[in-house]
Amino acid sequence: RIQTNGKVGAGAVAPPDTATRGGGVVSEVGRQFGVYSELSKFRLSALVVSTAGAGFAAGCGAWGGAVDPIVLGSLCSGTFLAATSANTFNQVIERPRDVAMKRTCNRPLPSGRITPEHATGFGVAAGAMSCCILGLGASPTCAALGAANIGLYALPYTLSKPRTEWNTWVGALVGAIPPLMGWSAAGLPLSCCAEPWLLASTLFLWQFPHFFSLAWLHRRDYARGGFQMVPVNDPTGTRTADLVLWYSAAMLPLPAISAYLEATSYMFAVEGTALTGYLVYLSAKFRENRSNDNARHVFRCSLWFLPLFLGAFLFHQKSKKGAFQEAHEAIHAHQEWVEQTREYLRKMCVHEVVVQKTDSRALCPNTSPVDTQAANAQVPPPVR
């Protein structure tokens, strides 16, 4: 109803008041934010950020430097945006298959809450912002790794899922890269120490018991979507259980290797081996009895195993500040030796001797330290 000349007219519709319009805008913004959050796979992206943060913390701990909050913030936000971009492209490509799966049919794209064009634009924007933030706030190497991971996840991994079981190995490679991003953001080259590669190896191996146990629980759903996962093509579960056990066992020597390479103290060898041993124990039970309950126990263990393992690694990490200082001094000494050698050879050069002992034009302007322009300026023009 509306009010006219102080009276209410029957049958008329009252315009919405300001509060109603404001509430509608807020509700729409909240709905859109929820859609973007689902496209980003928020919890998965947060896990990726935590592994990149572990690499950054390891890098700062290795050389004894203070944590730069700007670099850390850039790393976390840029990594989250990179994961968001990769996950969004993945869902755009898999939209027709997600419709057929119970666990994915209510995602934003299959449910029609966002168009593929809108989602693609969101993924492009997130990827571009990620590269800018990582490149300007962290390091160029970190930005390059982030961009490579977006491409690797969105194309080789996503496109291989309906074609070959090897998609899981491609995905494991994607998951191993974030610790390398964090290490490079700390300002260290990837080749200087074993730490970044130990962390990357941990992430690579961990993903197999984590994912295969989950895929076994949802094997029928993956089959409906047409995905070529090992559990889908393994009716008895023998291969799936073997892979879970093998890759869990492959992590057993990592704590001892870390201690042997002086990346950590030997206390981590004890704690890390104990943690991994429990995961191996659950994996062995799943191999003996390939039930959903045993698979679920492996999966749940993998969820708390990773943060505890990485936390123990960082807690027991050894500082290499002294080694870095010695390396810096060695590089400085080498540079001094090179300069001294160049100076000695310069003195033996006939051209250099001529330049220094005469007022003639310089014969070796590219190698002579003499200011040839000034020398030439002092030479009087020839008399004709």
mmCIF file with all atom_site columns, all heavy atoms in Angstrom, residues 160-176:
data_model
loop_
_atom_site.group_PDB
_atom_site.id
_atom_site.type_symbol
_atom_site.label_atom_id
_atom_site.label_alt_id
_atom_site.label_comp_id
_atom_site.label_asym_id
_atom_site.label_entity_id
_atom_site.label_seq_id
_atom_site.pdbx_PDB_ins_code
_atom_site.Cartn_x
_atom_site.Cartn_y
_atom_site.Cartn_z
_atom_site.occupancy
_atom_site.B_iso_or_equiv
_atom_site.pdbx_formal_charge
_atom_site.auth_seq_id
_atom_site.auth_comp_id
_atom_site.auth_asym_id
_atom_site.auth_atom_id
_atom_site.pdbx_PDB_model_num
ATOM 1   N N   . SER A 1 160 ? 44.032 -34.479 -17.506 1.00 0.00 ? 160 SER A N   1
ATOM 2   C CA  . SER A 1 160 ? 44.420 -35.897 -17.450 1.00 0.00 ? 160 SER A CA  1
ATOM 3   C C   . SER A 1 160 ? 43.493 -36.729 -16.568 1.00 0.00 ? 160 SER A C   1
ATOM 4   O O   . SER A 1 160 ? 43.490 -37.965 -16.668 1.00 0.00 ? 160 SER A O   1
ATOM 5   C CB  . SER A 1 160 ? 45.859 -36.029 -16.946 1.00 0.00 ? 160 SER A CB  1
ATOM 6   O OG  . SER A 1 160 ? 45.964 -35.599 -15.597 1.00 0.00 ? 160 SER A OG  1
ATOM 7   N N   . LYS A 1 161 ? 42.690 -36.094 -15.723 1.00 0.00 ? 161 LYS A N   1
ATOM 8   C CA  . LYS A 1 161 ? 41.853 -36.844 -14.785 1.00 0.00 ? 161 LYS A CA  1
ATOM 9   C C   . LYS A 1 161 ? 40.876 -37.801 -15.469 1.00 0.00 ? 161 LYS A C   1
ATOM 10  O O   . LYS A 1 161 ? 40.705 -38.936 -15.000 1.00 0.00 ? 161 LYS A O   1
ATOM 11  C CB  . LYS A 1 161 ? 41.105 -35.874 -13.854 1.00 0.00 ? 161 LYS A CB  1
ATOM 12  C CG  . LYS A 1 161 ? 42.008 -35.236 -12.820 1.00 0.00 ? 161 LYS A CG  1
ATOM 13  C CD  . LYS A 1 161 ? 41.296 -34.147 -12.041 1.00 0.00 ? 161 LYS A CD  1
ATOM 14  C CE  . LYS A 1 161 ? 40.232 -34.692 -11.128 1.00 0.00 ? 161 LYS A CE  1
ATOM 15  N NZ  . LYS A 1 161 ? 39.605 -33.623 -10.311 1.00 0.00 ? 161 LYS A NZ  1
ATOM 16  N N   . PRO A 1 162 ? 40.223 -37.430 -16.554 1.00 0.00 ? 162 PRO A N   1
ATOM 17  C CA  . PRO A 1 162 ? 39.336 -38.404 -17.205 1.00 0.00 ? 162 PRO A CA  1
ATOM 18  C C   . PRO A 1 162 ? 40.053 -39.327 -18.183 1.00 0.00 ? 162 PRO A C   1
ATOM 19  O O   . PRO A 1 162 ? 39.406 -40.168 -18.813 1.00 0.00 ? 162 PRO A O   1
ATOM 20  C CB  . PRO A 1 162 ? 38.332 -37.509 -17.947 1.00 0.00 ? 162 PRO A CB  1
ATOM 21  C CG  . PRO A 1 162 ? 39.049 -36.243 -18.205 1.00 0.00 ? 162 PRO A CG  1
ATOM 22  C CD  . PRO A 1 162 ? 40.058 -36.079 -17.120 1.00 0.00 ? 162 PRO A CD  1
ATOM 23  N N   . ARG A 1 163 ? 41.375 -39.188 -18.298 1.00 0.00 ? 163 ARG A N   1
ATOM 24  C CA  . ARG A 1 163 ? 42.110 -39.938 -19.315 1.00 0.00 ? 163 ARG A CA  1
ATOM 25  C C   . ARG A 1 163 ? 43.066 -40.983 -18.754 1.00 0.00 ? 163 ARG A C   1
ATOM 26  O O   . ARG A 1 163 ? 43.241 -42.047 -19.345 1.00 0.00 ? 163 ARG A O   1
ATOM 27  C CB  . ARG A 1 163 ? 42.897 -38.968 -20.208 1.00 0.00 ? 163 ARG A CB  1
ATOM 28  C CG  . ARG A 1 163 ? 42.013 -38.080 -21.069 1.00 0.00 ? 163 ARG A CG  1
ATOM 29  C CD  . ARG A 1 163 ? 42.830 -37.035 -21.819 1.00 0.00 ? 163 ARG A CD  1
ATOM 30  N NE  . ARG A 1 163 ? 42.009 -36.307 -22.784 1.00 0.00 ? 163 ARG A NE  1
ATOM 31  C CZ  . ARG A 1 163 ? 41.254 -35.274 -22.472 1.00 0.00 ? 163 ARG A CZ  1
ATOM 32  N NH1 . ARG A 1 163 ? 41.207 -34.849 -21.204 1.00 0.00 ? 163 ARG A NH1 1
ATOM 33  N NH2 . ARG A 1 163 ? 40.529 -34.659 -23.386 1.00 0.00 ? 163 ARG A NH2 1
ATOM 34  N N   . THR A 1 164 ? 43.722 -40.691 -17.642 1.00 0.00 ? 164 THR A N   1
ATOM 35  C CA  . THR A 1 164 ? 44.741 -41.607 -17.138 1.00 0.00 ? 164 THR A CA  1
ATOM 36  C C   . THR A 1 164 ? 44.845 -41.545 -15.618 1.00 0.00 ? 164 THR A C   1
ATOM 37  O O   . THR A 1 164 ? 44.606 -40.491 -15.015 1.00 0.00 ? 164 THR A O   1
ATOM 38  C CB  . THR A 1 164 ? 46.131 -41.266 -17.741 1.00 0.00 ? 164 THR A CB  1
ATOM 39  O OG1 . THR A 1 164 ? 47.139 -42.068 -17.115 1.00 0.00 ? 164 THR A OG1 1
ATOM 40  C CG2 . THR A 1 164 ? 46.473 -39.800 -17.549 1.00 0.00 ? 164 THR A CG2 1
ATOM 41  N N   . GLU A 1 165 ? 45.226 -42.673 -15.029 1.00 0.00 ? 165 GLU A N   1
ATOM 42  C CA  . GLU A 1 165 ? 45.417 -42.730 -13.576 1.00 0.00 ? 165 GLU A CA  1
ATOM 43  C C   . GLU A 1 165 ? 46.615 -41.901 -13.122 1.00 0.00 ? 165 GLU A C   1
ATOM 44  O O   . GLU A 1 165 ? 46.722 -41.564 -11.937 1.00 0.00 ? 165 GLU A O   1
ATOM 45  C CB  . GLU A 1 165 ? 45.625 -44.172 -13.135 1.00 0.00 ? 165 GLU A CB  1
ATOM 46  C CG  . GLU A 1 165 ? 44.411 -45.060 -13.327 1.00 0.00 ? 165 GLU A CG  1
ATOM 47  C CD  . GLU A 1 165 ? 44.693 -46.500 -12.940 1.00 0.00 ? 165 GLU A CD  1
ATOM 48  O OE1 . GLU A 1 165 ? 45.874 -46.811 -12.649 1.00 0.00 ? 165 GLU A OE1 1
ATOM 49  O OE2 . GLU A 1 165 ? 43.752 -47.309 -12.918 1.00 0.00 ? 165 GLU A OE2 1
ATOM 50  N N   . TRP A 1 166 ? 47.504 -41.562 -14.054 1.00 0.00 ? 166 TRP A N   1
ATOM 51  C CA  . TRP A 1 166 ? 48.698 -40.803 -13.692 1.00 0.00 ? 166 TRP A CA  1
ATOM 52  C C   . TRP A 1 166 ? 48.376 -39.374 -13.277 1.00 0.00 ? 166 TRP A C   1
ATOM 53  O O   . TRP A 1 166 ? 49.256 -38.620 -12.862 1.00 0.00 ? 166 TRP A O   1
ATOM 54  C CB  . TRP A 1 166 ? 49.680 -40.796 -14.862 1.00 0.00 ? 166 TRP A CB  1
ATOM 55  C CG  . TRP A 1 166 ? 50.343 -42.125 -15.055 1.00 0.00 ? 166 TRP A CG  1
ATOM 56  C CD1 . TRP A 1 166 ? 50.040 -43.077 -15.981 1.00 0.00 ? 166 TRP A CD1 1
ATOM 57  C CD2 . TRP A 1 166 ? 51.417 -42.669 -14.268 1.00 0.00 ? 166 TRP A CD2 1
ATOM 58  N NE1 . TRP A 1 166 ? 50.844 -44.173 -15.839 1.00 0.00 ? 166 TRP A NE1 1
ATOM 59  C CE2 . TRP A 1 166 ? 51.710 -43.955 -14.789 1.00 0.00 ? 166 TRP A CE2 1
ATOM 60  C CE3 . TRP A 1 166 ? 52.162 -42.204 -13.184 1.00 0.00 ? 166 TRP A CE3 1
ATOM 61  C CZ2 . TRP A 1 166 ? 52.703 -44.766 -14.257 1.00 0.00 ? 166 TRP A CZ2 1
ATOM 62  C CZ3 . TRP A 1 166 ? 53.148 -43.004 -12.659 1.00 0.00 ? 166 TRP A CZ3 1
ATOM 63  C CH2 . TRP A 1 166 ? 53.416 -44.265 -13.194 1.00 0.00 ? 166 TRP A CH2 1
ATOM 64  N N   . ASN A 1 167 ? 47.116 -38.977 -13.383 1.00 0.00 ? 167 ASN A N   1
ATOM 65  C CA  . ASN A 1 167 ? 46.742 -37.630 -12.951 1.00 0.00 ? 167 ASN A CA  1
ATOM 66  C C   . ASN A 1 167 ? 47.087 -37.391 -11.487 1.00 0.00 ? 167 ASN A C   1
ATOM 67  O O   . ASN A 1 167 ? 47.421 -36.272 -11.095 1.00 0.00 ? 167 ASN A O   1
ATOM 68  C CB  . ASN A 1 167 ? 45.250 -37.386 -13.199 1.00 0.00 ? 167 ASN A CB  1
ATOM 69  C CG  . ASN A 1 167 ? 44.363 -38.210 -12.284 1.00 0.00 ? 167 ASN A CG  1
ATOM 70  O OD1 . ASN A 1 167 ? 44.127 -37.872 -11.128 1.00 0.00 ? 167 ASN A OD1 1
ATOM 71  N ND2 . ASN A 1 167 ? 43.854 -39.322 -12.807 1.00 0.00 ? 167 ASN A ND2 1
ATOM 72  N N   . THR A 1 168 ? 47.025 -38.448 -10.671 1.00 0.00 ? 168 THR A N   1
ATOM 73  C CA  . THR A 1 168 ? 47.331 -38.289 -9.242  1.00 0.00 ? 168 THR A CA  1
ATOM 74  C C   . THR A 1 168 ? 48.787 -37.916 -9.041  1.00 0.00 ? 168 THR A C   1
ATOM 75  O O   . THR A 1 168 ? 49.119 -37.108 -8.166  1.00 0.00 ? 168 THR A O   1
ATOM 76  C CB  . THR A 1 168 ? 47.002 -39.577 -8.477  1.00 0.00 ? 168 THR A CB  1
ATOM 77  O OG1 . THR A 1 168 ? 45.637 -39.940 -8.725  1.00 0.00 ? 168 THR A OG1 1
ATOM 78  C CG2 . THR A 1 168 ? 47.205 -39.387 -6.981  1.00 0.00 ? 168 THR A CG2 1
ATOM 79  N N   . TRP A 1 169 ? 49.670 -38.472 -9.836  1.00 0.00 ? 169 TRP A N   1
ATOM 80  C CA  . TRP A 1 169 ? 51.088 -38.144 -9.723  1.00 0.00 ? 169 TRP A CA  1
ATOM 81  C C   . TRP A 1 169 ? 51.354 -36.707 -10.183 1.00 0.00 ? 169 TRP A C   1
ATOM 82  O O   . TRP A 1 169 ? 52.195 -36.022 -9.604  1.00 0.00 ? 169 TRP A O   1
ATOM 83  C CB  . TRP A 1 169 ? 51.913 -39.144 -10.524 1.00 0.00 ? 169 TRP A CB  1
ATOM 84  C CG  . TRP A 1 169 ? 52.099 -40.440 -9.812  1.00 0.00 ? 169 TRP A CG  1
ATOM 85  C CD1 . TRP A 1 169 ? 53.192 -40.842 -9.117  1.00 0.00 ? 169 TRP A CD1 1
ATOM 86  C CD2 . TRP A 1 169 ? 51.152 -41.521 -9.697  1.00 0.00 ? 169 TRP A CD2 1
ATOM 87  N NE1 . TRP A 1 169 ? 52.991 -42.095 -8.572  1.00 0.00 ? 169 TRP A NE1 1
ATOM 88  C CE2 . TRP A 1 169 ? 51.746 -42.539 -8.920  1.00 0.00 ? 169 TRP A CE2 1
ATOM 89  C CE3 . TRP A 1 169 ? 49.858 -41.729 -10.179 1.00 0.00 ? 169 TRP A CE3 1
ATOM 90  C CZ2 . TRP A 1 169 ? 51.104 -43.741 -8.624  1.00 0.00 ? 169 TRP A CZ2 1
ATOM 91  C CZ3 . TRP A 1 169 ? 49.211 -42.916 -9.880  1.00 0.00 ? 169 TRP A CZ3 1
ATOM 92  C CH2 . TRP A 1 169 ? 49.829 -43.905 -9.113  1.00 0.00 ? 169 TRP A CH2 1
ATOM 93  N N   . VAL A 1 170 ? 50.626 -36.267 -11.203 1.00 0.00 ? 170 VAL A N   1
ATOM 94  C CA  . VAL A 1 170 ? 50.747 -34.867 -11.628 1.00 0.00 ? 170 VAL A CA  1
ATOM 95  C C   . VAL A 1 170 ? 50.261 -33.940 -10.517 1.00 0.00 ? 170 VAL A C   1
ATOM 96  O O   . VAL A 1 170 ? 50.888 -32.923 -10.204 1.00 0.00 ? 170 VAL A O   1
ATOM 97  C CB  . VAL A 1 170 ? 49.949 -34.622 -12.923 1.00 0.00 ? 170 VAL A CB  1
ATOM 98  C CG1 . VAL A 1 170 ? 50.038 -33.155 -13.346 1.00 0.00 ? 170 VAL A CG1 1
ATOM 99  C CG2 . VAL A 1 170 ? 50.464 -35.518 -14.044 1.00 0.00 ? 170 VAL A CG2 1
ATOM 100 N N   . GLY A 1 171 ? 49.142 -34.302 -9.901  1.00 0.00 ? 171 GLY A N   1
ATOM 101 C CA  . GLY A 1 171 ? 48.630 -33.499 -8.794  1.00 0.00 ? 171 GLY A CA  1
ATOM 102 C C   . GLY A 1 171 ? 49.566 -33.466 -7.608  1.00 0.00 ? 171 GLY A C   1
ATOM 103 O O   . GLY A 1 171 ? 49.674 -32.443 -6.914  1.00 0.00 ? 171 GLY A O   1
ATOM 104 N N   . ALA A 1 172 ? 50.262 -34.570 -7.360  1.00 0.00 ? 172 ALA A N   1
ATOM 105 C CA  . ALA A 1 172 ? 51.227 -34.595 -6.254  1.00 0.00 ? 172 ALA A CA  1
ATOM 106 C C   . ALA A 1 172 ? 52.385 -33.652 -6.521  1.00 0.00 ? 172 ALA A C   1
ATOM 107 O O   . ALA A 1 172 ? 52.918 -33.022 -5.596  1.00 0.00 ? 172 ALA A O   1
ATOM 108 C CB  . ALA A 1 172 ? 51.736 -36.021 -6.047  1.00 0.00 ? 172 ALA A CB  1
ATOM 109 N N   . LEU A 1 173 ? 52.785 -33.544 -7.787  1.00 0.00 ? 173 LEU A N   1
ATOM 110 C CA  . LEU A 1 173 ? 53.838 -32.590 -8.138  1.00 0.00 ? 173 LEU A CA  1
ATOM 111 C C   . LEU A 1 173 ? 53.389 -31.156 -7.886  1.00 0.00 ? 173 LEU A C   1
ATOM 112 O O   . LEU A 1 173 ? 54.153 -30.331 -7.380  1.00 0.00 ? 173 LEU A O   1
ATOM 113 C CB  . LEU A 1 173 ? 54.217 -32.779 -9.612  1.00 0.00 ? 173 LEU A CB  1
ATOM 114 C CG  . LEU A 1 173 ? 55.314 -31.864 -10.155 1.00 0.00 ? 173 LEU A CG  1
ATOM 115 C CD1 . LEU A 1 173 ? 56.622 -32.077 -9.412  1.00 0.00 ? 173 LEU A CD1 1
ATOM 116 C CD2 . LEU A 1 173 ? 55.509 -32.091 -11.648 1.00 0.00 ? 173 LEU A CD2 1
ATOM 117 N N   . VAL A 1 174 ? 52.133 -30.865 -8.213  1.00 0.00 ? 174 VAL A N   1
ATOM 118 C CA  . VAL A 1 174 ? 51.574 -29.539 -7.947  1.00 0.00 ? 174 VAL A CA  1
ATOM 119 C C   . VAL A 1 174 ? 51.638 -29.230 -6.450  1.00 0.00 ? 174 VAL A C   1
ATOM 120 O O   . VAL A 1 174 ? 52.022 -28.130 -6.034  1.00 0.00 ? 174 VAL A O   1
ATOM 121 C CB  . VAL A 1 174 ? 50.116 -29.452 -8.451  1.00 0.00 ? 174 VAL A CB  1
ATOM 122 C CG1 . VAL A 1 174 ? 49.474 -28.139 -8.013  1.00 0.00 ? 174 VAL A CG1 1
ATOM 123 C CG2 . VAL A 1 174 ? 50.083 -29.582 -9.966  1.00 0.00 ? 174 VAL A CG2 1
ATOM 124 N N   . GLY A 1 175 ? 51.279 -30.196 -5.629  1.00 0.00 ? 175 GLY A N   1
ATOM 125 C CA  . GLY A 1 175 ? 51.263 -29.981 -4.185  1.00 0.00 ? 175 GLY A CA  1
ATOM 126 C C   . GLY A 1 175 ? 52.638 -29.848 -3.567  1.00 0.00 ? 175 GLY A C   1
ATOM 127 O O   . GLY A 1 175 ? 52.773 -29.321 -2.450  1.00 0.00 ? 175 GLY A O   1
ATOM 128 N N   . ALA A 1 176 ? 53.669 -30.306 -4.275  1.00 0.00 ? 176 ALA A N   1
ATOM 129 C CA  . ALA A 1 176 ? 55.029 -30.230 -3.723  1.00 0.00 ? 176 ALA A CA  1
ATOM 130 C C   . ALA A 1 176 ? 55.687 -28.879 -3.959  1.00 0.00 ? 176 ALA A C   1
ATOM 131 O O   . ALA A 1 176 ? 56.724 -28.582 -3.353  1.00 0.00 ? 176 ALA A O   1
ATOM 132 C CB  . ALA A 1 176 ? 55.893 -31.330 -4.344  1.00 0.00 ? 176 ALA A CB  1
#
